[in-house]
């Protein structure tokens, strides 16, 4: 009897493990591709969970390239315009309203450019 | 003896069934139409009345609402906006689909933005929503009706078949092949991922093949085997030019999780279609986008996807690339045998077009494990950052890779280099690109840029022409 319980536990454990690995790999919760539904930028491969407006669903999107519109990093983790790509800075004048409503937008700029 | 004669006769009738319809002639179920390995069950096509092929005409004068025209009543053609001084393009849908589905009219509307054509969507929903084996036979009637239509255009209006272009998706591309077989001399036939079951491996009279039109081009987007991949499209080459974007089997953007796939930006219906047959439906999306982005779908000649990835066929010959989609007929080196072309596309609707470059980077500075990205700048703007190489980077080595960028920057005037290794290194190593050579795949034009010094990780280095 004890043996059977032990086996059941092992089976349950390995099943949970398999499920966890499966979920992580298939891109259900983390490691999401561009275009997949997200709640948080951490879930996306690209690092940006983007939505068009306040009522639309958020999807993973590529980061903003140089000269494109962007948002700086934000606590909410969901963006109307994505963060900038590597080495670029989102040039923006912060305002209190902008910080609260997640709407301080700028344009990606290379800080080394003249 | 007399008693068994009727039985023999009956057996013969079942084995060699035949139906005849007025105007379009007879259809048998003899070999190769059935009784072969590819087509085991004997099926005859339904009647034209039941399939009810309808011809829905869009022109510049009516690009929002179609006019229904019919070859049975040629007066409907002369009363419509059909004009004989322009090209005519037919679009035929496939299994389960209908002619009023939005992708067909979208394709017409997109064409009408760039050219003056008679764009005719062919609806055969009466014959497409049934068992697959029956629909696969009904396309013979659809093809015959299209051929009859082209024939009437020639006889009643003096309209040359060479002005006709028939575009078919899935089963529709075999209907286009049937039309081309019955009416010789059709200018062009485009197969958008021709259906595989009941057609792949069959004799050329059954399926779309190179002899069906003066010029036949095919886009393969779901060429994996039916078992186990559920690939619905043919892997067999069928035209003068056969395009295999992304290798032809698995399209980017098609392996989303079910929820993200169904709840699509373009609505639940489009999402559900993609959930069922995403790869298969990509073929008409690429075609539609290619109408507006002429050089965004350049194909590179290679024998398979692996050799393309390693650089075979790159850059295009000086006579120009083979352009997948609407402008495929501009290719000048068409031969009498099939040619294969490979390319990569994007993963999002209306952003599938890509421009391919080869980037060679000579590095300098410390030796690190990491990766680097390059972005291209030109008069039309700049691209995103694309990874060229990942691995161990050591000083004064040259690393090259291919990138498929999302826009055409024009003649390049500078590039930017940035590297990273995602490891915190207290020594703060810094590397740089001393020179970067960028080769444009479209024309073989080469650009050389030089940089000085080195940069720390996640710092951009700008390289100027030299």
């Amino acid at each position: 009897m004890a043996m059977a319980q032990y086996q059941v536990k092992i089976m349950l454990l390995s099943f949970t493990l398999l499920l966890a690995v499966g979920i992580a790999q298939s891109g259900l919760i983390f490691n999401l591709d561009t275009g997949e539904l997200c709640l948080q930028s951490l879930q996306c491969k690209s690092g940006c969970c983007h939505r068009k407006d306040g009522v639309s669903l958020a999807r993973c999107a590529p980061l903003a390239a140089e000269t494109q519109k962007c948002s700086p990093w934000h606590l909410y983790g969901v963006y109307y315009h994505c963060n900038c790509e590597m080495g670029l800075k989102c040039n923006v004048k912060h305002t209190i309203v902008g910080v609260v409503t997640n709407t301080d937008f700028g344009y990606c700029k290379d800080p080394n450019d003249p | 003896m007399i008693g068994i004669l009727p039985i023999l006769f009956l057996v013969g009738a079942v084995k060699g069934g035949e139906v005849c319809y007025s105007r379009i002639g007879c259809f048998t179920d003899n070999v190769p139409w059935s009784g072969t390995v590819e087509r085991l069950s004997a099926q005859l096509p339904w009647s034209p009345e039941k399939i009810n092929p309808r011809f829905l005409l869009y022109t510049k004068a009516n690009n929002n609402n179609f006019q229904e025209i019919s070859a049975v009543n040629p007066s409907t053609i002369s009363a419509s906006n059909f004009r004989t001084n322009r090209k005519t393009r037919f679009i035929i849908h496939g299994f389960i689909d209908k002619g009023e589905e939005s992708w067909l009219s979208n394709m017409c509307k997109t064409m009408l933005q760039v050219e003056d054509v008679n764009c005719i969507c062919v609806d055969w929903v009466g014959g497409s929503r049934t068992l697959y084996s029956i629909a696969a036979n009904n396309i013979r009637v659809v093809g015959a009706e299209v051929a009859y239509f082209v024939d009437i255009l020639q006889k009643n209006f003096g309209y040359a078949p060479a002005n006709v272009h028939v575009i078919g998706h899935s089963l529709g591309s075999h209907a286009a092949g049937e039309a081309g077989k019955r009416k010789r001399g059709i200018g062009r036939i485009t197969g958008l991922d021709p259906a595989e079951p009941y057609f792949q491996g069959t004799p050329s009279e059954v399926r779309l093949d190179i002899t069906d039109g003066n010029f036949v081009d095919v886009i393969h987007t779901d060429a994996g085997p039916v078992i186990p991949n559920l690939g619905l499209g043919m892997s067999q080459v069928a035209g003068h030019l056969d395009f295999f974007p992304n290798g032809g089997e698995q399209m980017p953007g098609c392996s989303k999780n079910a929820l993200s796939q169904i709840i699509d930006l373009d609505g639940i219906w489009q999402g559900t279609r993609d959930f069922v047959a995403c790869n298969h439906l990509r073929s008409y999306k690429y075609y539609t986008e290619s109408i507006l982005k002429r050089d965004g779908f350049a194909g590179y000649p290679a024998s398979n996807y692996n050799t393309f990835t390693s650089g075979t066929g790159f850059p295009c010959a000086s006579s120009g690339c083979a352009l997948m989609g609407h402008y495929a007929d501009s290719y000048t080196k068409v031969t009498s045998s099939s040619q294969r072309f490979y390319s990569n596309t994007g993963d999002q609707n209306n952003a599938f077009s890509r421009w391919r470059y080869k980037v060679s980077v000579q590095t300098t500075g410390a030796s690190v494990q990491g990766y680097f990205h390059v972005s291209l700048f030109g008069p039309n703007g700049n691209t995103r950052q694309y990874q060229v190489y990942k691995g161990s980077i050591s000083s004064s080595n040259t690393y090259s890779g291919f990138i498929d960028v999302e826009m055409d920057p024009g003649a390049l005037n500078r590039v930017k280099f940035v590297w990273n290794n995602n490891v915190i290194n207290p020594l703060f190593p810094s590397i740089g690109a001393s020179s970067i050579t960028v080769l444009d795949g479209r024309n073989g034009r080469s650009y050389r840029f030089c940089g000085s010094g080195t940069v720390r990780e996640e710092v951009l280095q700008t390289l100027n022409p030299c």
Side-chain angles (χ1 to χ4, degrees):
Chain A
M1 189 63 196
M3 194 62 190
Q5 269 185 351
Y6 181 68
Q7 277 179 344
V8 167
K9 270 184 190 168
I10 292 277
M11 269 177 66
L12 268 178
L13 194 72
S14 48
F15 178 75
T16 325
L17 252 172
L18 270 177
L19 197 73
V21 170
I23 285 174
Q25 286 199 329
S26 65
L28 270 178
I29 292 174
F30 285 108
N31 218 11
L32 298 181
D33 278 323
T34 307
E36 294 196 285
L37 294 167
C38 53
L39 297 166
Q40 245 295 323
S41 287
L42 275 174
Q43 295 177 281
C44 300
K45 270 185 203 164
S46 65
C48 178
C49 185
H50 166 261
R51 63 177 181 194
K52 267 191 195 137
D53 48 61
V55 290
S56 62
L57 294 167
R59 290 162 197 279
C60 296
L63 295 173
E66 193 164 336
T67 65
Q68 287 181 351
K69 206 169 182 184
C70 57
S71 305
W73 181 88
H74 201 284
L75 192 63
Y76 292 152
V78 185
Y79 297 90
Y80 297 114
H81 293 281
C82 288
N83 293 161
C84 297
E85 290 183 313
M86 227 194 300
L88 297 164
K89 193 173 177 296
C90 191
N91 252 13
V92 60
K93 265 192 180 165
H94 289 282
T95 62
I96 297 206
V97 175
V99 169
V100 172
T101 59
N102 196 2
T103 52
D104 16 80
F105 304 134
Y107 290 90
C108 295
K109 198 178 173 304
D110 181 355
N112 296 335
D113 265 356
Chain B
M1 185 64 201
I2 289 167
I4 61 169
L5 256 180
I7 298 170
L8 275 176
F9 179 75
L10 267 178
V11 168
V14 169
K15 205 156 190 268
E18 187 180 64
V19 280
C20 294
Y21 302 116
S22 56
R23 291 186 293 112
I24 55 173
C26 298
F27 300 85
T28 74
D29 62 2
N30 289 330
V31 175
W33 298 103
S34 64
T36 61
V37 183
E38 295 84 13
R39 308 179 146 231
L40 289 170
S41 67
Q43 299 282 359
L44 286 169
W46 290 352
S47 69
E49 290 73 35
K50 194 168 177 191
I51 296 172
N52 188 23
R54 294 159 68 221
F55 294 83
L56 317 175
L57 170 74
Y58 291 87
T59 66
K60 277 204 162 167
N62 60 309
N63 58 3
N64 273 320
N65 301 305
F66 61 78
Q67 294 175 324
E68 191 170 339
I69 53 178
S70 159
V72 184
N73 282 320
S75 60
T76 59
I77 302 178
S78 32
S80 73
N81 290 330
F82 184 93
R83 295 291 175 271
T84 51
N85 60 355
R86 52 195 184 209
K87 282 193 171 186
T88 301
R89 304 193 200 267
F90 292 86
I91 308 173
I92 311 175
H93 63 81
F95 187 45
I96 304 285
D97 235 352
K98 58 177 180 178
E100 281 157 89
E101 187 60 46
S102 60
W103 73 264
L104 297 106
S105 52
N106 273 346
M107 194 181 274
C108 279
K109 287 171 195 168
T110 316
M111 281 173 193
L112 292 166
Q113 286 178 37
V114 296
E115 60 188 13
D116 193 14
V117 288
N118 307 306
C119 188
I120 302 176
C121 300
V122 181
D123 174 67
W124 57 284
V125 66
S128 78
R129 292 196 174 159
T130 172
L131 290 177
Y132 182 80
S133 58
I134 300 174
N137 274 290
N138 286 343
I139 63 113
R140 297 164 70 185
V141 165
V142 178
E145 288 282 5
V146 173
Y148 181 76
F149 199 105
V150 176
D151 198 45
I152 288 293
L153 288 182
Q154 187 175 24
K155 284 189 182 134
N156 292 24
F157 299 88
Y159 189 77
N163 290 327
V164 171
H165 176 196
V166 188
I167 302 166
H169 172 247
S170 187
L171 278 183
S173 36
H174 296 297
E178 179 74 20
K181 186 188 83 187
R182 286 168 175 264
K183 182 68 193 170
R184 286 293 166 193
I186 286 182
R188 179 180 173 194
I189 292 178
T190 300
L192 303 174
D193 211 32
E196 172 181 347
Y198 283 64
F199 294 97
Q200 176 145 310
T202 59
S204 61
E205 59 178 304
V206 176
R207 60 181 170 85
L208 172 67
D209 82 305
I210 195 166
T211 61
D212 289 331
N214 298 349
F215 175 73
V216 181
D217 60 308
V218 182
I219 301 177
H220 299 264
T221 57
D222 199 9
V226 181
I227 302 166
N229 298 26
L230 219 68
L232 304 172
M234 288 209 299
S235 56
Q236 192 177 12
V237 290
H240 295 90
L241 310 184
D242 279 75
F243 294 90
F244 294 83
N246 310 300
E249 296 191 1
Q250 181 60 48
M251 298 300 117
C254 282
S255 39
K256 293 192 196 121
N257 56 53
L259 192 67
S260 302
Q261 190 74 269
I262 292 172
I263 304 176
D264 190 81
L265 278 172
D266 300 324
I268 302 278
W269 173 236
Q270 295 303 327
T272 307
R273 287 170 65 91
D274 276 346
F275 179 63
V276 176
C278 181
N279 291 319
H280 195 41
L281 306 184
R282 279 286 195 261
S283 52
Y284 65 69
K285 298 185 182 178
Y286 295 158
Y287 189 98
T288 306
E289 190 174 327
S290 77
I291 297 168
L292 296 178
K293 295 174 186 163
R294 188 185 159 95
D295 55 0
F297 293 90
Y300 296 89
S303 53
N304 60 53
Y305 189 56
N306 284 338
T307 57
F308 157 75
T309 312
S310 61
T312 305
F314 184 95
C316 293
S318 53
S319 53
C321 297
L323 306 174
M324 177 172 86
H326 198 55
Y327 303 98
D329 54 355
S330 68
Y331 192 58
T332 51
K333 291 191 176 159
V334 176
T335 62
S336 55
S337 58
S338 292
Q339 299 180 62
R340 291 167 164 265
F341 296 91
Y342 289 82
S343 60
N344 283 329
T345 68
D347 59 357
Q348 280 182 299
N349 278 348
N350 306 319
F352 290 124
S353 50
R354 284 292 183 271
W355 285 262
R356 192 166 177 83
Y357 292 86
K358 184 180 185 181
V359 181
S360 306
V361 181
Q362 192 181 23
T363 55
T364 173
S367 290
V368 294
Q369 285 285 329
Y371 55 89
F372 58 78
H373 289 196
V374 163
S375 52
L376 312 177
F377 290 71
N380 304 342
N382 62 288
T383 70
R384 300 183 182 283
Q385 298 171 354
Y386 287 89
Q387 183 173 309
V388 174
Y389 173 79
K390 182 178 188 177
S392 58
I393 305 167
S394 49
S395 189
S396 59
N397 263 8
T398 301
Y399 303 96
S400 32
F402 291 92
I403 57 175
D404 295 284
V405 305
E406 83 286 6
M407 55 93 73
D408 172 19
L412 303 182
N413 50 34
R414 66 200 158 108
V415 294
K416 288 194 180 184
F417 168 90
V418 60
W419 73 280
N420 200 346
N421 61 1
N422 294 339
V423 175
I424 297 166
N425 188 334
L427 298 172
F428 297 118
S430 89
I431 64 172
S434 48
S435 81
I436 293 182
T437 309
V438 184
L439 187 60
D440 188 333
R442 275 171 297 169
N443 44 27
R445 203 171 153 189
S446 172
Y447 304 87
R448 200 174 129 81
F449 303 92
C450 293
S452 59
T454 58
V455 286
R456 295 245 285 265
E457 62 179 310
E458 293 197 43
V459 175
L460 288 158
Q461 182 188 13
T462 306
L463 290 92
N464 290 309
C466 61

